[in-house]
Amino acid sequence: MTKETRHLISMDDVDLAFIYLAFRIAKYYMGIIEGTASWLALGWYTFRRIVNCLPLAGKIIASVFYEPSTRTRFSFEAAAWLLGGMVIGTENAKEFSSAAKGETTKDSTKVTSGYVKAIVMRHFKEGSAKEARKVSRVPIINGGDGTGEHPTQTLLDLFTIWIKFGRIDGLTIAMIGDIKHGRTIHSLAKGLCLFENIRMIFVSSKQLAMEGDLRDYLQSHNANFEEYENLREAPLDDIDVFYVTRVQKERFPDQNEYELVKDHCIVSIGIVALIKKEAIIMHPLPRVNEIPEEIDDDPRAVYFDQARYGLYVRMAILDILLNHLF
Ligand code: NCD
C-alpha cells in the first residue's frame, strides 16, 4: 500500500503531535549542526553520512519561488543538502520557468511533481499552494502564498518560543505591524489556537487590522484575543512575546497608502524600555524600520536566533514529510 502524501499548506494541516515531533527532531538537528549534541547523536549522524543513508539520501526536492526570499529558500535548500538530498528549482519562477510562456502553476506543478520527492513553493497568489496540492504527486510545502499563510515560518516561530520559554501554553503573545497582509501572522495566530491558555494581542493601524476571515477563525476556535491601534495602548507589561512584522509594501496597489501607515508600529528604544525583562522580541525578517538596529544587542531581541532555527525546523519538516514519520 502506498503511504498517503502529506502536504503542508496551512496550519490546519498540523496538530500538536506533529508540532512537538518537529520540535524534537529540530532540536536534534540543532545539536548536530551547532556541535552541542551528545557524542552518540553526533556519531550516529556522521555514520549515516558516511554510508549515504541520511534521511533524504538520493532524494531531490524542488524549490520553486515566484516571489523573493532569503531565509525560506536558503534554509530549505540548505536543509535538503544537509539531510543528504539534492535541490533543483528557481528563485524567480515568474521569469525563469514556463510561467513566462503562460503556463499555469497547476500545470507546472503537475509536471515538476513527477521529477522530485517534494516541492517547496512560494507564490504571490493566496490559495496557490492549495491549488498545487490538488495536482501534485508529492508533498507541497507552502513557503508563503500571497497574503495567505506561511506555515513553516510558524513552526520555526513556535520552536523559537519553545526554546526560549520551555513552553508555549500560558503565554501572552503580541502580533504587531501588518495583521491584514502578513501571512506569518495569519499562520501564527492559527497555530496558537492549538495551545492552552494563550492570550493574543494584535497591534496595528486601523488600515492594517485583522480582516474577517482570521477574526472568524479565532472566534470559532474560542481564542482569547484583543486588538489595539497603538503600542502604547497595549498592556506592554503583560506581554511575553513581541512578534513584530514589517508593513507589506508589495501588497499595496497604491504606494501613497503605504506611506501613510508604514511608520505606525515602530518598536522604539522607548517602547523596549517599558517591556518585561523576560520578554522576547521576534521578527520573521526582513525588517525595514520597525525595529531599530540599536535593539539588536538587547538579549531580548531573538530574531536572528529565530532565523537560524529555521534551518533546523525545515530539516525536521523535510524529514517528517518525506520519510512519513507522521
Ligand atoms: C516573511 C514572508 O515572506 O512572509 N518572510 C520570511 O519568510 N521570513 C515576512 C515578510 O516578508 O515580511
Side-chain angles (χ1 to χ4, degrees):
M1 206 180 81
T2 49
K3 296 222 176 91
E4 195 196 331
T5 303
R6 229 196 132 116
H7 304 272
L8 183 48
I9 308 296
S10 147
M11 284 310 284
D12 289 321
D13 295 323
V14 303
D15 58 15
L16 280 183
F18 180 103
I19 293 175
Y20 282 115
L21 175 66
F23 286 3
R24 283 203 307 280
I25 299 177
K27 205 169 165 196
Y28 162 76
Y29 287 129
M30 175 154 97
I32 302 287
I33 310 287
E34 299 196 354
T36 54
S38 68
W39 283 104
L40 199 68
L42 271 170
W44 174 235
Y45 180 83
T46 311
F47 170 75
R48 293 184 77 187
R49 203 169 65 191
I50 292 166
V51 300
N52 195 26
C53 78
L54 281 173
L56 261 63
K59 294 181 174 161
I60 304 175
I61 69 151
S63 157
V64 185
F65 280 67
Y66 292 82
E67 268 195 344
S69 169
T70 301
R71 279 146 289 273
T72 305
R73 189 171 70 82
F74 288 162
S75 61
F76 258 120
E77 295 187 4
W81 291 114
L82 283 165
L83 292 173
M86 293 160 283
V87 181
I88 59 167
T90 169
E91 62 187 22
N92 183 356
K94 237 174 164 174
E95 266 186 65
F96 299 140
S97 76
S98 289
K101 303 179 188 171
E103 186 171 53
T104 61
T105 308
K106 224 163 138 186
D107 281 0
S108 299
T109 306
K110 212 168 186 169
V111 173
T112 310
S113 76
Y115 304 153
V116 296
K117 294 287 186 213
I119 300 175
V120 180
M121 187 174 119
R122 169 169 288 183
H123 204 281
F124 47 87
K125 194 170 140 241
E126 181 176 355
S128 50
K130 209 164 161 187
E131 285 299 307
R133 159 202 249 166
K134 291 188 194 147
V135 296
S136 177
R137 307 163 69 93
V138 298
I140 297 287
I141 301 174
N142 180 8
D145 61 320
T147 55
E149 283 209 46
H150 196 348
T152 72
Q153 177 70 41
T154 294
L155 291 172
L156 79 90
D157 295 339
L158 293 171
F159 179 75
T160 305
I161 299 172
W162 181 69
I163 289 286
K164 301 291 178 189
F165 287 93
R167 69 188 163 99
I168 295 170
D169 294 330
L171 295 176
T172 297
I173 298 173
M175 285 162 268
I176 301 160
D178 193 343
I179 319 291
K180 178 177 173 186
H181 305 111
R183 56 195 175 198
T184 65
I185 289 189
H186 301 162
S187 284
L188 181 58
K190 288 185 177 181
L192 286 171
C193 291
L194 295 166
F195 294 87
E196 296 291 320
N197 247 327
I198 299 286
R199 181 176 171 201
M200 297 186 220
I201 298 198
F202 294 94
V203 189
S204 74
S205 64
K206 227 192 199 102
Q207 294 91 320
L208 301 181
M210 187 185 305
E211 296 212 298
D213 287 3
L214 183 58
R215 189 181 307 280
D216 292 347
Y217 188 98
L218 295 180
Q219 277 162 354
S220 68
H221 286 75
N222 292 321
N224 171 8
F225 69 97
E226 295 148 48
E227 293 172 88
Y228 297 89
E229 256 184 62
N230 280 296
L231 273 166
R232 284 188 190 269
E233 286 166 18
L236 297 178
D237 274 358
D238 294 346
I239 296 169
D240 300 300
V241 177
F242 288 81
Y243 188 88
V244 188
T245 61
R246 79 183 164 93
V247 176
Q248 309 274 299
K249 185 172 190 226
E250 65 276 31
R251 310 292 176 213
F252 287 76
D254 177 355
Q255 286 306 301
N256 295 323
E257 296 288 323
Y258 168 73
E259 291 297 324
L260 285 178
V261 290
K262 72 181 188 7
D263 298 324
H264 187 82
C265 279
I266 307 277
V267 179
S268 61
I269 294 180
I271 292 285
V272 173
L274 301 173
I275 74 176
K276 284 202 284 202
K277 212 167 83 248
E278 313 75 33
I280 61 172
I281 306 168
M282 297 175 64
H283 194 308
L285 302 177
R287 74 167 145 196
V288 182
N289 63 343
E290 52 285 345
I291 304 181
E293 270 185 34
E294 290 84 335
I295 291 169
D296 296 359
D297 294 331
D298 189 306
R300 293 169 292 186
V302 303
Y303 27 90
F304 289 109
D305 288 343
Q306 180 187 350
R308 200 173 76 250
Y309 297 161
L311 173 65
Y312 316 132
V313 173
R314 286 171 174 136
M315 289 173 85
I317 293 168
L318 290 175
D319 197 356
I320 295 172
L321 295 183
L322 274 75
N323 293 312
H324 305 281
L325 302 185
F326 192 82

